[in-house]
Amino acid sequence: MLKNKVYFQSIHNFIDKDSKDENEDAIAYIKNPLFDKIAVSDGAGGAGIYCKAWANHLVKNQRDKPFDSKTNAEEWFLSISESFYKENIESINKMDPFILEKFIKEGSYATLFFAWWNKETNVFHYVGIGDTTLFVFSKENEIFKTILITPINEQNSLDDFPKLLNWNKELNYDMSISEIKLKPDDILIISTDSITRWIIYHLMVIETFETQKILGESIVKSIDSNKLQNIKLSNPYKDLSDMLLKIENTVNKSETFFKNELEKSINGNVLEKDDFTIFFKRI
């Protein structure tokens, strides 16, 4: 497939939701002279209110370059939290008092993953809060290997309630920037939780030892053995390269094709129903 091509899809949980407007995931990819920016957020609809709007606000307000200090990140978060409140409070004031009370008392929750790719140095800068996850795959002797899965590997279990950002709460998470030097042919995937777990379970089948080493003992112990066995029996991929190629060939097609492939996996009990977002890039 073509190098330096970017593909992404974001679609609502079409099984349980009636409208595309109910998609609480948000994604943006912006090409700038020095850094290409990628932002993905998953609004946590089960907590707070206006979570979809908050996820979109986070994504739209990604800085043009990585945070250079903890203070820098905290100032950014305070600024966008204040602007989100100001943009919404006037219209919410005109609604049911219950909505206003819930907005002020509980706020809005979302995961966040920011990345900045320096095209001159090939350094990939990133930070993630929650279970929206980055996968990096690198080719060695013509064979792809998984070299990074983050930040879901920081959880105690694969199904933990994720860390979330909320505009009306202090920034209690470390948003220090991490870096990885990318090589030609490396593949990046960023995905929200349902697709993330689908990828992890398939990696546990295709390259068990490498995946266990990256995820760590506590995550591996939380793997659902029945689900893993089901995926082993239905796994259509001969190796990791085959899986990555087929993911690419799914994401780069139409939304209808993407939806049909998701539906097959849902019906096969290997993919959880949720909003679905995935970003794919081959360096």
Side-chain angles (χ1 to χ4, degrees):
M1 302 298 288
L2 295 175
K3 296 181 181 181
N4 289 319
K5 292 292 290 183
V6 168
Y7 310 103
F8 57 89
Q9 296 271 4
S10 186
I11 187 171
H12 67 298
N13 172 5
F14 49 87
I15 304 295
D16 298 326
K17 297 178 179 179
D18 296 327
S19 169
K20 293 181 180 181
D21 292 337
E22 295 179 80
N23 184 5
E24 292 182 296
D25 288 355
I27 183 169
Y29 173 67
I30 298 174
K31 298 177 95 173
N32 283 331
L34 179 57
F35 290 105
D36 282 3
K37 303 192 303 180
I38 307 125
V40 182
S41 179
D42 179 357
I49 193 170
Y50 277 62
C51 297
K52 173 187 172 179
W54 174 231
N56 277 284
H57 190 76
L58 287 166
V59 163
K60 289 177 182 176
N61 284 280
Q62 181 183 13
R63 286 170 48 102
D64 287 337
K65 60 182 181 180
F67 306 121
D68 55 21
S69 67
K70 180 181 178 181
T71 300
N72 192 225
E74 290 173 346
E75 289 172 347
W76 167 84
F77 185 74
L78 179 61
S79 173
I80 63 133
S81 295
E82 289 177 348
S83 63
F84 182 76
Y85 173 83
K86 290 175 182 177
E87 286 173 14
N88 289 281
I89 190 61
E90 185 176 346
S91 61
I92 291 173
N93 262 325
K94 300 174 183 177
M95 297 181 183
D96 188 313
F98 169 78
I99 295 176
L100 175 62
E101 181 183 2
K102 189 175 179 71
F103 181 73
I104 293 173
K105 185 177 180 180
E106 298 183 22
S108 316
Y109 291 91
T111 68
L112 180 64
F113 193 91
F114 277 168
W116 297 262
W117 176 44
N118 188 318
K119 293 172 284 188
E120 293 182 359
T121 64
N122 238 13
V123 173
F124 191 77
H125 309 259
Y126 62 90
V127 59
I129 304 295
D131 54 10
T132 297
T133 297
L134 166 70
F135 298 85
V136 181
F137 306 94
S138 191
K139 189 181 283 188
E140 299 175 10
N141 299 321
E142 299 305 310
I143 298 173
F144 274 105
K145 298 288 184 183
T146 309
I147 61 171
L148 185 64
I149 304 173
T150 189
I152 200 169
N153 62 326
E154 299 171 5
Q155 298 184 172
N156 291 321
S157 78
L158 201 56
D159 296 309
D160 265 1
F161 193 76
K163 296 175 182 177
L164 299 168
L165 296 179
N166 190 320
W167 59 267
N168 79 341
K169 299 184 183 301
E170 290 184 8
L171 180 61
N172 292 321
Y173 303 121
D174 184 5
M175 290 192 68
S176 299
I177 300 297
S178 299
E179 298 178 358
I180 183 170
K181 177 85 170 182
L182 299 176
K183 300 182 299 183
D185 294 321
D186 281 358
I187 288 176
L188 309 174
I189 292 177
I190 302 169
S191 53
T192 50
D193 53 341
S194 178
I195 293 178
T196 289
R197 284 191 280 271
W198 180 94
I199 293 172
I200 287 173
Y201 270 95
H202 282 81
L203 290 176
M204 287 289 294
V205 171
I206 292 168
E207 49 166 30
T208 307
F209 175 75
E210 293 88 347
T211 305
Q212 288 178 339
K213 187 176 179 181
I214 293 171
L215 290 177
E217 185 178 358
S218 61
I219 292 280
V220 172
K221 283 183 177 179
S222 74
I223 294 290
D224 184 328
S225 58
N226 292 326
K227 184 174 181 179
L228 186 62
Q229 183 60 29
N230 183 34
I231 288 173
K232 283 181 179 178
L233 294 172
S234 63
N235 175 44
Y237 310 115
K238 60 183 181 181
D239 55 27
L240 180 55
S241 296
D242 184 43
M243 185 181 98
L244 292 172
L245 181 60
K246 288 175 179 173
I247 290 174
E248 184 174 14
N249 285 334
T250 299
V251 179
N252 70 14
K253 297 291 196 308
S254 68
E255 182 180 289
T256 299
F257 183 88
F258 180 63
K259 177 180 175 182
N260 289 340
E261 292 301 300
L262 294 173
E263 193 162 15
K264 289 177 190 175
S265 293
I266 292 169
N267 292 337
N269 296 314
V270 295
L271 179 69
E272 302 158 20
K273 293 183 290 183
D274 202 344
D275 298 329
F276 307 99
T277 297
I278 183 169
F279 170 94
F280 187 104
K281 180 175 179 61
R282 189 184 292 266
I283 301 301

